[in-house]
Structures are given as structure tokens and as C-alpha cells.
């Protein structure tokens, strides 16, 4: 299978690339700064099924360059890139930071989907999998706070749900995945699971995904989450 993974230089994205290349899938790994993506470069020395493209998902020029350099079909578009900003507590919110997170997590991811749509249409598996967060679930929100992260992931969730309807006729399955609380720079050292556990679990869902999975919210362990 042919994958494109965003935010692949560290954390969950890097682990996706490790597991996919190891099992023989072809991977286009994207990162904002390829110059410092040392672990990706090491992986490329061991795997000839891996290539890199620079991509900042919030930068229109960068997305246009992605479109120019990726001409091949993609079976699974894996939107993993994301950020967590501390926008403070209501009412003293940092609205600039809130807008930045929305621009990356919600709008940026949607722009990548639009730019890569023809590649996914040309693929065999026709999957758009988006790494979101349970913190973007409205039904699961019992504590408040984290406005920028929650709102931006809720925006991503709605975009995915819309695309699941809009792309059904094209047989493209679009869904969101919560990776769990994962030990990465974002999740911190006290998180519950490793990147290996999280990605192994999410790949189990992606591997069996069909149109039946479209428009739904999946947890890393295969459980379904309320919107
Ligand atoms: N870790 C958790 O517990 C957890 C829980 C729920 C959801 N998630 C989600 O899982 C995904 C991966 O998170 P992680 O834990 O692996 O976080 P991470 O270690 O902080 O990595 C985030 C990745 O996203 C990239 N990124 C951020 N902004 C970007 C942009 N504008 N354009 C392109 N790439 C960008 C980063 O690139 P740079 O290196 O250039 O910054 C990095 O590769 C995110 O969507 C996150 O929201 C994580």
C-alpha cells in the first residue's frame, strides 16, 4: 500500500513511518523541516520504500509544492501533523494562539485533504485517516478548558464528517482516530501508552477500514468514540 504521512519527523508520525516501512508499505513522509529530520534520514538508509517531501500544513505555498511533487496514487492519506497550544483559561484567552491552532489542526489538515484528493481517488484503498483527539469530542467534554486544542480538533472532526458524506460517491472513506494519551513531546512522559502501542492499534483499524468506517470516530484500541 502507498501511504502519505504528515508530521512524520517525530512522535506518532515517525512511528507510523517506522512500522509502515518495516512491513513493506511505500511511504511519503512529510515534515516541516527536513534538514533536522535525522531519524527519518536514518530510516531512509535502511528502507528504499521511503521518500520525503517538505510540508508545513498551514502554508499554502508549501501545500502547492506538495501537490507538484506528489503525482502518484495514494492509498492512505494519514493526516497526523498537529499542535497543542496553551491558550489560557476563559475569559483570559490568547486568541492569536487559538487562531494559529485552528489554522493548523483544522484548516491545515483540510487543505492537505483537498490538495491530495486526486491522488487518493487514484489509489486502490481510498482512505483519508485523520489523527484527532478525544479532547475534540463534544460528547466526551466533561471538564472544559484547553480551548485552542479542543476547538481545533472539533473543527477537524467536523471537516472529516463532512468529507465522509461528500466523498462517499467516490468510495473514499474518511474517519478520525484518537491515538490515546501517548508518550511524545506533546503527550509528555506521564502518558499512558507508547507510540508503538498507539500506532500498532491505529494501523489495525486503518488496515481493515472500508466505507463502513467512514464518518466515524475511532480510538487507537479499536473502540468507537462519541462525537
Ligand atoms: N501525544 C498524545 O497524547 C496525543 C493525544 C491525542 C492526539 N494527539 C495527536 O496526535 C498527532 C501527533 O501528535 P504527537 O503526540 O506525535 O505530537 P508531537 O510529538 O508534538 O509531533 C507533532 C508533529 O506535528 C508536526 N506539526 C506541527 N505543526 C505542523 C505544521 N504546521 N505543519 C506540518 N507539521 C506540523 C510537528 O512538526 P515539527 O517537528 O516541525 O514541529 C511534529 O512532526 C497530533 O495530531 C496530535 O494532536 C496526540
Amino acid at each position: 500500500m502507498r501511504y502519505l504521512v504528515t508530521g512524520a519527523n517525530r512522535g506518532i508520525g515517525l512511528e507510523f513511518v517506522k512500522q509502515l516501512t518495516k512491513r513493506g508499505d511505500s511511504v511519503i513522509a512529510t515534515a516541516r523541516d527536513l534538514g533536522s529530520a535525522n531519524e527519518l534520514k536514518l530510516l531512509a538508509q535502511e528502507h528504499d520504500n521511503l521518500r520525503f517531501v517538505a510540508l508545513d500544513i498551514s502554508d499554502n505555498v508549501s501545500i502547492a509544492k506538495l501537490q507538484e511533487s506528489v503525482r502518484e496514487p495514494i492509498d492512505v492519506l494519514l493526516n497526523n501533523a498537529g499542535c497543542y497550544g496553551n491558550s489560557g483559561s476563559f475569559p483570559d484567552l490568547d486568541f492569536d494562539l487559538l487562531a494559529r491552532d485552528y489554522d493548523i489542526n483544522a484548516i491545515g489538515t483540510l487543505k492537505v485533504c483537498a490538495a491530495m484528493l486526486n491522488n487518493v481517488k487514484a489509489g486502490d484503498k481510498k482512505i483519508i485517516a485523520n489523527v484527532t483527539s478525544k479532547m475534540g469530542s463534544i460528547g466526551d467534554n466533561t471538564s472544559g478548558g484547553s480551548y485552542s486544542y479542543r476547538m481545533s480538533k472539533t473543527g477537524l472532526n467536523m471537516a472529516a464528517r463532512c468529507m465522509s458524506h461528500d466523498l462517499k460517491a467516490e468510495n473514499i472513506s474518511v474517519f478520525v482516530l484518537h491515538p490515546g494519551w501517548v508518550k511524545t513531546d506533546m503527550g509528555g512522559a506521564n502518558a499512558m501508552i507508547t507510540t508503538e502501542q498507539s500506532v500498532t492499534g491505529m494501523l489495525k483499524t486503518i488496515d481493515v477500514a472500508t466505507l463502513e468506517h467512514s464518518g466515524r470516530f475511532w480510538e487507537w484500541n479499536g473502540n468507537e468514540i462519541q462525537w
Side-chain angles (χ1 to χ4, degrees):
M1 286 285 150
R2 297 153 293 187
Y3 282 74
L4 188 145
V5 182
T6 65
N9 53 306
R10 61 190 169 101
I12 293 167
L14 179 64
E15 181 64 27
F16 268 122
V17 178
K18 281 184 186 167
Q19 294 198 20
L20 291 168
T21 50
K22 191 172 174 191
R23 72 186 201 182
D25 289 302
S26 295
V27 181
I28 298 169
T30 77
R32 278 199 279 210
D33 177 16
L34 288 178
S36 64
N38 295 328
E39 289 201 66
L40 273 184
K41 285 178 199 159
L42 283 176
L43 269 182
Q45 287 173 12
E46 295 163 24
H47 300 281
D48 57 11
N49 50 347
L50 170 62
R51 80 171 174 99
F52 316 129
V53 180
L55 176 65
D56 180 334
I57 67 167
S58 65
D59 179 341
N60 292 342
V61 174
S62 180
I63 292 175
K65 283 185 184 159
L66 172 80
Q67 223 171 6
E68 274 167 32
S69 63
V70 177
R71 297 290 183 179
E72 60 267 52
I74 294 170
D75 291 303
V76 180
L77 171 59
L78 225 165
N79 288 305
N80 163 78
C83 62
Y84 182 108
N86 181 359
S87 55
S89 304
F90 185 81
D92 301 316
L93 294 169
D94 180 340
F95 290 101
D96 291 335
L97 192 140
L98 200 137
R100 184 211 67 174
D101 280 7
Y102 204 85
D103 195 40
I104 294 174
N105 290 342
I107 301 173
T109 304
L110 187 59
K111 284 177 179 171
V112 174
C113 293
M116 292 292 102
L117 179 58
N118 284 337
N119 306 70
V120 175
K121 278 185 189 173
D124 297 325
K125 201 163 160 69
K126 301 188 199 307
I127 300 281
I128 300 178
N130 303 282
V131 180
T132 184
S133 170
K134 216 181 205 176
M135 290 180 76
S137 162
I138 292 175
D140 188 69
N141 185 353
T142 53
S143 62
S146 300
Y147 281 74
S148 64
Y149 192 63
R150 286 189 188 279
M151 287 174 66
S152 62
K153 289 297 194 182
T154 306
L156 167 61
N157 291 353
M158 182 56 85
R161 182 75 173 227
C162 286
M163 286 187 284
S164 75
H165 292 297
D166 292 341
L167 299 177
K168 197 169 186 177
E170 307 278 359
N171 291 322
I172 296 175
S173 178
V174 187
F175 51 87
V176 295
L177 293 159
H178 169 61
W181 184 20
V182 191
K183 294 178 200 292
T184 63
D185 292 342
M186 186 185 292
N190 294 329
M192 302 290 285
I193 56 172
T194 63
T195 54
E196 195 179 346
Q197 289 171 301
S198 171
V199 166
T200 301
M202 288 191 284
L203 283 178
K204 280 186 188 155
T205 297
I206 294 170
D207 286 344
V208 300
T210 63
L211 268 187
E212 283 291 302
H213 289 69
S214 199
R216 293 163 73 178
F217 192 164
W218 301 98
E219 197 167 6
W220 68 280
N221 56 12
N223 291 338
E224 201 164 354
I225 297 178
Q226 57 184 330
W227 289 104

Coordinates of all heavy atoms in Angstrom, one line a residue, residues 6-14 30-33 36 55-59 79-84 103-105 131-135 149 153 156 177-188 191 195 202, ligand 1:
T6 N 1.8 12.9 7.3 CA 2.2 14.2 7.7 C 2.8 14.3 9.1 O 2.4 13.5 9.9 CB 1.1 15.3 7.5 OG1 0.1 15.0 8.5 CG2 0.5 15.3 6.1
G7 N 3.7 15.3 9.4 CA 4.2 15.4 10.7 C 5.0 14.1 11.1 O 4.9 13.6 12.2
A8 N 5.9 13.7 10.1 CA 6.5 12.4 10.2 C 7.9 12.4 10.9 O 8.5 11.3 11.0 CB 6.5 11.7 8.9
N9 N 8.3 13.5 11.3 CA 9.7 13.6 11.8 C 9.9 13.2 13.3 O 11.0 13.0 13.7 CB 10.3 15.0 11.6 CG 9.4 16.1 12.2 OD1 8.2 16.2 11.9 ND2 9.9 16.9 13.0
R10 N 8.8 13.2 14.0 CA 8.9 12.8 15.4 C 7.5 12.3 15.9 O 6.5 12.3 15.2 CB 9.4 14.0 16.3 CG 8.5 15.2 16.3 CD 9.2 16.4 17.0 NE 8.4 17.6 16.8 CZ 7.6 18.2 17.7 NH1 7.4 17.6 18.8 NH2 7.0 19.3 17.4
G11 N 7.6 11.7 17.1 CA 6.3 11.3 17.8 C 5.6 10.2 17.0 O 6.2 9.3 16.5
I12 N 4.3 10.4 17.0 CA 3.4 9.3 16.5 C 3.6 9.2 14.9 O 3.6 8.1 14.4 CB 1.9 9.7 16.8 CG1 1.7 9.6 18.3 CG2 0.9 8.8 16.0 CD1 0.4 10.2 18.8
G13 N 3.8 10.3 14.3 CA 4.1 10.3 12.8 C 5.3 9.5 12.5 O 5.3 8.7 11.5
L14 N 6.4 9.7 13.2 CA 7.6 8.9 13.0 C 7.4 7.4 13.2 O 7.9 6.6 12.4 CB 8.7 9.4 13.9 CG 10.1 8.7 13.8 CD1 10.7 8.9 12.4 CD2 11.1 9.2 14.8
T30 N 6.2 13.4 5.3 CA 6.4 14.8 5.2 C 6.8 15.4 6.6 O 6.3 14.9 7.6 CB 5.1 15.5 4.7 OG1 4.1 15.6 5.7 CG2 4.6 14.8 3.5
A31 N 7.6 16.5 6.5 CA 8.0 17.2 7.7 C 8.2 18.6 7.4 O 8.6 19.0 6.2 CB 9.2 16.6 8.3
R32 N 8.0 19.5 8.3 CA 8.2 20.9 8.1 C 9.6 21.2 7.8 O 9.9 22.0 6.8 CB 7.8 21.7 9.4 CG 6.4 22.0 9.5 CD 6.2 23.1 10.5 NE 6.3 22.7 11.9 CZ 5.6 23.3 12.9 NH1 4.8 24.3 12.6 NH2 5.7 22.9 14.1
D33 N 10.5 20.6 8.5 CA 12.0 20.9 8.4 C 12.7 19.6 8.1 O 13.1 18.9 9.0 CB 12.5 21.6 9.6 CG 14.0 21.9 9.5 OD1 14.5 21.8 8.4 OD2 14.6 22.1 10.6
S36 N 16.3 18.9 9.7 CA 16.6 18.4 11.0 C 15.9 17.0 11.3 O 15.8 16.6 12.4 CB 16.1 19.4 12.1 OG 14.7 19.6 11.9
L55 N 6.7 19.7 4.1 CA 5.3 20.2 4.2 C 5.0 20.9 5.5 O 5.1 20.3 6.6 CB 4.4 19.0 4.0 CG 2.9 19.4 4.1 CD1 2.4 20.4 3.0 CD2 2.0 18.2 4.1
D56 N 4.6 22.2 5.4 CA 4.0 22.8 6.5 C 2.5 22.9 6.2 O 2.2 23.6 5.2 CB 4.6 24.2 6.7 CG 4.0 25.0 7.8 OD1 2.9 24.8 8.2 OD2 4.7 25.9 8.4
I57 N 1.7 22.3 6.9 CA 0.3 22.1 6.5 C -0.5 23.5 6.7 O -1.6 23.5 6.3 CB -0.4 21.0 7.3 CG1 -0.6 21.3 8.8 CG2 0.2 19.7 7.1 CD1 -1.6 20.3 9.5
S58 N 0.2 24.5 7.3 CA -0.5 25.8 7.4 C 0.0 26.8 6.4 O -0.4 27.9 6.4 CB -0.4 26.3 8.8 OG 1.0 26.6 9.1
D59 N 0.8 26.3 5.4 CA 1.4 27.2 4.5 C 1.0 26.8 3.1 O 1.3 25.8 2.6 CB 3.0 27.1 4.6 CG 3.7 27.9 3.7 OD1 3.2 28.4 2.6 OD2 4.9 28.2 3.9
N79 N -3.3 12.0 7.9 CA -3.1 13.3 8.4 C -2.8 13.2 9.9 O -3.7 13.1 10.7 CB -4.3 14.2 8.2 CG -4.5 14.5 6.7 OD1 -3.6 15.1 6.1 ND2 -5.6 14.2 6.1
N80 N -1.5 13.3 10.2 CA -1.1 13.2 11.6 C -0.6 14.5 12.3 O -0.8 14.7 13.5 CB 0.0 12.1 11.7 CG 0.8 12.2 13.0 OD1 0.4 11.7 14.1 ND2 2.0 12.8 13.0
A81 N -0.1 15.4 11.4 CA 0.5 16.6 12.0 C -0.5 17.4 12.8 O -1.7 17.5 12.4 CB 1.0 17.5 10.8
G82 N 0.0 17.9 13.9 CA -0.9 18.7 14.8 C -0.1 19.4 15.9 O 1.1 19.1 16.1
C83 N -0.7 20.3 16.5 CA -0.1 21.1 17.6 C -1.0 21.3 18.7 O -2.2 21.2 18.6 CB 0.5 22.4 17.1 SG -0.8 23.5 16.5
Y84 N -0.4 21.5 19.9 CA -1.2 21.8 21.1 C -0.7 23.1 21.7 O 0.5 23.2 22.1 CB -1.0 20.7 22.2 CG -1.8 20.9 23.5 CD1 -2.9 20.1 23.7 CD2 -1.4 21.8 24.4 CE1 -3.6 20.3 24.9 CE2 -2.2 22.0 25.5 CZ -3.2 21.2 25.8 OH -4.0 21.4 26.9
D103 N -5.8 27.1 12.6 CA -5.3 27.1 11.2 C -4.5 25.9 10.9 O -4.5 25.4 9.8 CB -4.4 28.4 11.1 CG -4.1 28.7 9.7 OD1 -5.0 28.6 8.9 OD2 -2.9 29.1 9.4
I104 N -3.8 25.3 11.9 CA -3.0 24.1 11.7 C -3.9 22.9 11.8 O -4.0 22.1 10.8 CB -1.8 24.0 12.7 CG1 -0.8 25.2 12.4 CG2 -1.1 22.7 12.6 CD1 0.3 25.3 13.5
N105 N -4.5 22.7 12.9 CA -5.2 21.4 13.2 C -6.4 21.2 12.3 O -6.6 20.0 11.8 CB -5.6 21.2 14.6 CG -4.3 21.1 15.5 OD1 -3.3 20.7 15.1 ND2 -4.5 21.3 16.8
V131 N -5.6 12.0 12.4 CA -5.3 11.8 13.8 C -5.9 13.0 14.5 O -5.4 14.2 14.3 CB -3.8 11.6 14.1 CG1 -3.6 11.5 15.6 CG2 -3.3 10.4 13.3
T132 N -6.9 12.8 15.3 CA -7.6 13.9 16.1 C -7.3 13.7 17.6 O -6.2 13.1 17.9 CB -9.1 13.9 15.8 OG1 -9.7 15.0 16.5 CG2 -9.8 12.6 16.2
S133 N -8.2 14.0 18.4 CA -8.0 13.8 19.8 C -9.4 13.7 20.4 O -10.4 14.3 20.0 CB -7.3 14.9 20.5 OG -7.4 14.8 21.9
K134 N -9.5 12.8 21.5 CA -10.7 12.7 22.2 C -11.1 14.1 22.8 O -12.3 14.4 23.1 CB -10.5 11.7 23.4 CG -11.7 10.9 23.8 CD -11.2 10.0 24.9 CE -12.0 8.7 25.0 NZ -11.5 7.9 26.1
M135 N -10.1 15.0 23.0 CA -10.4 16.3 23.5 C -11.2 17.1 22.5 O -11.7 18.2 22.9 CB -9.1 17.0 23.9 CG -8.4 16.4 25.1 SD -6.9 17.2 25.5 CE -7.5 18.7 26.2
Y149 N -6.9 23.8 21.6 CA -6.7 22.4 21.2 C -8.1 21.7 20.9 O -8.4 21.2 19.9 CB -6.0 21.6 22.2 CG -5.5 20.2 21.7 CD1 -4.6 20.1 20.6 CD2 -5.9 19.1 22.3 CE1 -4.2 18.9 20.2 CE2 -5.5 17.8 21.8 CZ -4.6 17.8 20.8 OH -4.2 16.5 20.3
K153 N -9.5 20.6 17.2 CA -9.8 19.2 16.9 C -11.2 19.0 16.6 O -11.6 18.1 15.8 CB -9.2 18.3 18.0 CG -7.7 18.3 18.1 CD -7.1 17.6 16.9 CE -5.6 17.3 17.1 NZ -4.9 16.7 15.9
L156 N -11.6 19.9 13.1 CA -11.1 18.8 12.2 C -12.1 17.7 12.1 O -12.4 17.1 11.1 CB -9.8 18.3 12.8 CG -9.2 16.9 12.2 CD1 -9.0 17.0 10.7 CD2 -8.0 16.5 13.0
L177 N -9.2 9.4 14.1 CA -8.6 8.4 15.1 C -8.0 9.1 16.3 O -7.3 10.1 16.1 CB -7.4 7.7 14.4 CG -7.7 6.7 13.2 CD1 -6.4 6.5 12.4 CD2 -8.3 5.4 13.8
H178 N -8.4 8.7 17.5 CA -7.8 9.2 18.7 C -6.6 8.3 19.0 O -6.9 7.1 19.2 CB -8.8 9.3 19.8 CG -8.2 9.5 21.2 ND1 -7.5 10.7 21.5 CD2 -8.1 8.7 22.3 CE1 -7.0 10.6 22.7 NE2 -7.4 9.4 23.2
P179 N -5.4 8.8 19.1 CA -4.3 7.9 19.3 C -4.1 7.4 20.7 O -3.2 6.6 21.0 CB -3.1 8.8 18.9 CG -3.5 10.2 19.2 CD -5.0 10.2 18.9
G180 N -4.9 7.9 21.7 CA -4.7 7.6 23.1 C -3.8 8.7 23.7 O -3.5 9.7 23.0
W181 N -3.5 8.6 25.0 CA -2.6 9.5 25.6 C -1.2 8.9 25.5 O -0.9 7.9 26.1 CB -3.0 9.8 27.1 CG -2.1 10.8 27.7 CD1 -1.4 11.8 27.1 CD2 -1.9 11.0 29.1 NE1 -0.7 12.6 28.1 CE2 -1.1 12.1 29.3 CE3 -2.4 10.3 30.3 CZ2 -0.7 12.5 30.6 CZ3 -2.0 10.8 31.5 CH2 -1.1 11.9 31.7
V182 N -0.4 9.5 24.6 CA 0.8 8.8 24.1 C 2.1 9.6 24.5 O 2.1 10.8 24.5 CB 0.8 8.8 22.5 CG1 1.9 7.9 22.0 CG2 -0.6 8.3 22.0
K183 N 3.1 8.8 24.9 CA 4.4 9.4 25.3 C 5.1 10.0 24.2 O 5.8 9.3 23.4 CB 5.3 8.3 26.0 CG 4.7 7.7 27.3 CD 5.7 6.6 27.8 CE 5.0 5.7 28.7 NZ 4.6 6.2 30.0
T184 N 4.9 11.3 23.9 CA 5.6 12.0 22.9 C 5.9 13.4 23.5 O 5.6 13.7 24.6 CB 4.7 12.2 21.6 OG1 3.6 13.0 22.0 CG2 4.2 10.9 21.0
D185 N 6.5 14.3 22.6 CA 6.7 15.7 23.1 C 5.4 16.3 23.5 O 5.3 17.0 24.5 CB 7.4 16.5 22.0 CG 8.8 16.1 21.7 OD1 9.4 15.4 22.5 OD2 9.3 16.4 20.6
M186 N 4.3 16.0 22.8 CA 3.0 16.6 23.1 C 2.4 15.9 24.3 O 1.9 16.5 25.2 CB 2.1 16.4 21.9 CG 0.8 17.1 22.1 SD -0.4 16.9 20.8 CE 0.3 17.8 19.4
G187 N 2.4 14.6 24.3 CA 1.8 13.8 25.4 C 2.5 13.8 26.7 O 1.9 13.7 27.8
G188 N 3.8 14.0 26.7 CA 4.6 14.0 27.9 C 5.0 12.6 28.4 O 4.4 11.6 27.9
A191 N 2.4 10.0 30.0 CA 1.3 9.5 29.2 C 1.1 8.0 29.4 O 2.0 7.3 29.9 CB 1.5 9.8 27.7
T195 N 4.3 5.2 21.7 CA 4.0 5.4 20.3 C 3.8 4.1 19.6 O 2.9 3.9 18.7 CB 5.1 6.2 19.5 OG1 6.3 5.5 19.7 CG2 5.2 7.6 20.0
M202 N -3.8 1.8 15.9 CA -4.4 2.5 14.8 C -4.3 1.9 13.5 O -5.2 1.9 12.7 CB -3.9 4.0 14.8 CG -4.3 4.8 16.0 SD -4.0 6.6 15.8 CE -2.2 6.6 16.1
Ligands
LIG1 N1 0.5 12.5 22.2 C1 -0.7 12.5 22.6 O1 -1.0 12.1 23.8 C2 -1.8 12.8 21.7 C3 -3.2 12.7 22.1 C4 -4.2 13.0 21.3 C5 -4.0 13.4 20.0 N2 -2.7 13.5 19.5 C6 -2.5 13.9 18.1 O2 -1.5 13.1 17.5 C7 -0.8 13.8 16.5 C8 0.7 13.6 16.6 O3 1.0 14.1 17.9 P1 2.4 13.7 18.7 O4 2.0 13.3 20.0 O5 3.2 12.9 17.9 O6 3.0 15.2 18.8 P2 4.4 15.8 18.6 O7 5.4 14.8 19.1 O8 4.4 17.2 19.2 O9 4.6 15.9 17.0 C9 3.7 16.8 16.3 C10 4.1 16.6 14.8 O10 3.3 17.5 14.1 C11 4.1 18.4 13.3 N3 3.5 19.7 13.0 C12 3.0 20.6 13.9 N4 2.6 21.7 13.2 C13 2.8 21.4 11.9 C14 2.6 22.1 10.7 N5 2.0 23.4 10.7 N6 2.9 21.6 9.5 C15 3.4 20.3 9.5 N7 3.7 19.6 10.6 C16 3.4 20.1 11.8 C17 5.4 18.5 14.1 O11 6.4 19.0 13.3 P3 7.6 19.9 13.9 O12 8.6 18.9 14.4 O13 8.1 20.7 12.7 O14 7.1 20.8 15.0 C18 5.6 17.1 14.5 O15 6.1 16.3 13.5 C19 -1.3 15.2 16.6 O16 -2.3 15.5 15.6 C20 -1.8 15.3 18.0 O17 -2.8 16.3 18.1 C21 -1.6 13.2 20.3

